[in-house]
Amino acid sequence: MSAPRLEIRLDRLHHNARSLRRQLSARGIAITGVSKASLGLPEIVRTWAAAGIASIGEPRIETIEALRAAGISTPMLLIRSPMLSQVRRVVAEANSSCNSEPQVLRALAAAALDQNRRHGVLLMVELGDLREGILPADLEAVAQLTLEHPALKLLGIGTNLGCQHGIAADQRNMAELSELANALERRFDLRLELVSGGNSSNLPWLAAGHPSGRINHLRLGEALLLGREPLSRSALSGLHTDAFALVAEVIEAKVKPGQPWGQRGLTSFAALPQAPCELRHPRQRALLALGIQDVDPAGLQPQAGVRIVGASSDHLVVEADHPLAVGAELRFGLDYSALLRAMTSPFIERLCLQGDNLEGDRPGGEARRRASAQTLGLRVADRFSPSGSRG
Ligand SMILES: *Cc1c(COP(=O)(O)O)cnc(C)c1O
């Protein structure tokens, strides 16, 4: 088999999707599956559809176009504000988009009119994370503008937290979103179809049992793909965190001195944390054919007895407690950042796998299976080494 490769367990992704869909629909919340970290892989989108995920969210129109070309007809929401230069493409292939700019709404309306289509609009509200969103005081005016264009359909309002400043969903900001939805409905005498509370970082708030108010929709990526919530990288109970594994091949394996020698300057890339100085006796070192061009090395989780000690464009350097052979394969778990970059690398093969025995393959066995049917609990053991920002 060729390396490096991403092994993608579709059965585990199916389990995560079905489990989250069931738990959230019991709270009256629908899911849009956000496939961006998988680069909109059609096999994953199809797996989610089979598990009952009824719509897909993607930030890039190119990905939506590729999914359409792959024959996928699921409703698609563009979850990033459309570029003015792309409104025609957005109206042609996406059913709806997240919006925060009047100028973009006018351009979408013109393009939709031109194409004889009606384009759905989810107005994004700024509630503290300081990424996208209309300030609450300006929401009514932007809703009015949307309603004035018959080629636009105001689907609802939404917010996005957790991505820029790690701001958590809480009773205050979620209640504010509900209240804004109520106020718009009163003001314009209409019913909003969607009140979209956020992304995977909303799950701890829901799991704590707070009343969800008007929130009836979440856009979920990381929880579906990696079984984790982003704010603490905690595993979500009953979900698979290992649907993805990255396999790389050893191209050099030697016992080498524990310390470099010669005069030192900067390295090609920012240094990774080095092994403590007292561990400087000769060590089993191996080079893997995998590099910063392919993956975020800080987001890789090696097998027991293997440590990542450095990376450059095309090499990953590891130390091991046991001898490694040239040609051997090593497996790594991935966090969101590592997955996003691995999916983007043209050098990594994607291998979709379907387990033979779905029932026997659930995480945590029978007890957890029963527990997860009832609660949206958080399991805080098993924490991933966090890497850089994301979202
Ligand atoms: C990426 C993104 C999401 C999904 O975020 P996850 O944390 O992966 O669930 C949802 N909404 C928007 C606007 C996004 O950009």
Side-chain angles (χ1 to χ4, degrees), residues 20-31:
L20 281 165
R21 181 182 61 72
R22 283 184 180 165
Q23 292 177 70
L24 290 176
S25 70
R27 308 269 313 254
I29 294 174
I31 299 175

Side-chain angles (χ1 to χ4, degrees), residues 34 36-37 59 79-80 98 124 131-132 159-161 163 198-201 218-225 230 336 390-391:
V34 174
K36 67 190 182 207
I79 59 169
R80 186 173 72 179
C98 292
M124 297 300 279
R131 205 180 69 178
E132 73 270 41
T159 195
N160 194 69
L161 300 169
C163 283
N199 53 45
S200 299
S201 71
L218 289 178
R219 312 170 306 273
L220 298 184
E222 183 161 3
L224 290 168
L225 295 167
Y336 192 89
R390 45 130 312 171

Side-chain angles (χ1 to χ4, degrees), residues 293-330:
Q293 277 204 53
D294 307 299
V295 74
D296 175 3
L300 289 179
Q301 191 176 55
Q303 302 156 240
V306 175
R307 290 167 301 284
I308 297 171
V309 296
S312 50
S313 314
D314 310 288
H315 294 85
L316 190 74
V317 187
V318 301
E319 286 181 354
D321 295 340
H322 49 277
L324 293 167
V326 170
E329 291 186 339
L330 290 187

Side-chain angles (χ1 to χ4, degrees), residues 241-388:
T241 57
D242 56 355
F244 296 86
L246 185 60
V247 180
E249 185 175 323
V250 175
I251 54 172
E252 183 192 296
K254 298 182 192 307
V255 175
K256 288 201 179 181
Q259 269 183 340
W261 60 94
Q263 203 180 318
R264 297 188 78 168
L266 294 174
T267 61
S268 323
F269 295 90
L272 287 169
Q274 292 291 310
C277 283
E278 60 270 24
L279 298 175
R280 287 309 184 202
H281 48 85
R283 310 194 67 82
Q284 280 285 346
R285 258 171 114 95
L287 295 183
L288 298 172
L290 183 75
I292 290 172
Q293 277 204 53
D294 307 299
V295 74
D296 175 3
L300 289 179
Q301 191 176 55
Q303 302 156 240
V306 175
R307 290 167 301 284
I308 297 171
V309 296
S312 50
S313 314
D314 310 288
H315 294 85
L316 190 74
V317 187
V318 301
E319 286 181 354
D321 295 340
H322 49 277
L324 293 167
V326 170
E329 291 186 339
L330 290 187
R331 302 176 74 81
F332 299 87
L334 303 99
D335 77 357
Y336 192 89
S337 172
L339 174 63
L340 183 77
R341 192 143 11 131
M343 285 298 307
T344 314
S345 170
F347 303 102
I348 295 183
E349 189 200 343
R350 287 151 202 123
L351 192 63
C352 291
L353 303 167
Q354 196 77 62
D356 330 309
N357 182 353
L358 295 184
E359 286 308 307
D361 194 41
R362 295 201 185 165
E366 186 61 36
R368 172 153 293 133
R369 200 170 314 163
R370 263 186 274 109
S372 73
Q374 298 152 1
T375 61
L376 189 72
L378 286 175
R379 174 159 52 98
V380 273
D382 181 20
R383 205 166 269 197
F384 216 105
S385 58
S387 64

Side-chain angles (χ1 to χ4, degrees), residues 3 13 106 109 115 171-172 198 229 249 254 264 292 382 391:
L13 292 173
R106 284 188 207 99
Q115 295 177 30
Q171 261 327 80
R172 231 191 77 245
E229 66 83 20
E249 185 175 323
K254 298 182 192 307
R264 297 188 78 168
I292 290 172
D382 181 20

Side-chain angles (χ1 to χ4, degrees), residues 14 17 28 38 49 56 80 90 92 110 112 126 198 206 212 227-228 261 265 273 299 304 333 368 371 379 390:
H14 186 275
S38 78
I56 293 298
R80 186 173 72 179
V90 171
E126 175 62 70
L206 272 179
S212 40
R228 291 180 189 274
W261 60 94
R368 172 153 293 133
R379 174 159 52 98
R390 45 130 312 171

